[in-house]
Amino acid sequence: MSASYSLTVHGSISEIDAKTWDACVGETGSPFVEHTWLGLFEDAGCVGEETGWTPAHLALRRGKELVAVAPAFVKTNSEGEFVFDWSWADLARRMGIRYYPKVLVASPFSPVTGERVLVAPGEDKAEATMAMASAVRALAEEAGCSSAHALFVREEEALAWERAGYMRRASVQFHFYNEGYRTFEDFVATFKSKKRNQLRREAAQPAKDGVRIETVAPDAITPAIITAMFRFYGVTVDKFTWGRRYLNRRFFDLVAERFSHRLAWVIAWQGETPIAGAFNLQKGDRLYGRYWGATHELPFLHFNVCYYHGVRHCIEHGLRVFEPGAGGEHKRARGFKPTMMHSVHWVKNERFRQVVDDFVVREREAIARFVAGEADEED
């Protein structure tokens, strides 16, 4: 790191002024790195030393001038990251290398692309990103950490981290892109006959089951809605052996209280009973899907609550992109396009780094071929 910069590490997001932080996020920045969102995890007890997510938020300065900030944590596990490196940890163990702790620049439990180096207005973004990347690596070395990582960064930022000596890794998600559709039927009409009929059949099913699906207005989020949404979250997490309850009821109460202006929660009702829900957020021209759950098993309920309703929401409100979350080849068949995600990684041990670097290059090339292949199929 250049001698002209200094880095401070903050054990709580509250140590950094909210207005100053959010000015670095900006109106077009991801809601998942806003000061309030990050503070929810701390205040609800979802992050902290006991969870393996010790806050270590970063502020980069030139003299007294703030240049950039970054949400960061010292991790003692790989839980809740969604760019999983458990195989790396296992490789390190077999090589006799201690993998934890590590430094992580990310938004907890949120596999959503956005800036991770949040640059102050008027500062050169490329230069500030390079400086922060170097500072994070120096911090990892000084703290005795094996590695440093930044997850779900935008491609331009990933390239800046790469220039600072990090390995660039790729993964894939499936996103909906609004091509100027006027109606949901306009979207459906873009499919070939067989898929078009399938989508229409699936989208019509809730009405046949007496189910109505709605986006809940922020001022209509009641304690009963919060209870239902937390129940849906728990049902889905508990269903799978790999599921983890990273969020608690306190988090749901706080997000409804402090972050309702970003919420676009979806509830499916059967009569007066909420039977399913999706934890969606909205900012600018993007809709984000995070969690879903249901207490009733009905045909195509998942697709309608998590995907079709979100697509309709984007079309009706002129939103450009819907990011429904990680994973899911089934999204592809429903009009969601494979989209490359980026993360960056630095590991201290040279022998370990050589092995991992070869892996990430081959992985990135394979994912690029997959995404390009999808484009070729459309052509």
Side-chain angles (χ1 to χ4, degrees), residues 1 13 23 43 79 88 131 133 145 182 237 346 355 361 363:
M1 181 173 60
I13 193 69
D43 293 346
E79 297 283 351
W88 296 15
C145 295
R182 294 173 301 165
V237 169
W346 172 84
V355 175
V361 169
E363 180 186 47

Side-chain angles (χ1 to χ4, degrees), residues 43-45 230 248-255 257-258:
D43 293 346
F230 179 62
N248 54 29
R249 171 57 194 257
R250 176 65 174 157
F251 176 87
F252 280 73
D253 288 332
L254 290 177
V255 78
E257 175 188 334
R258 302 179 185 174

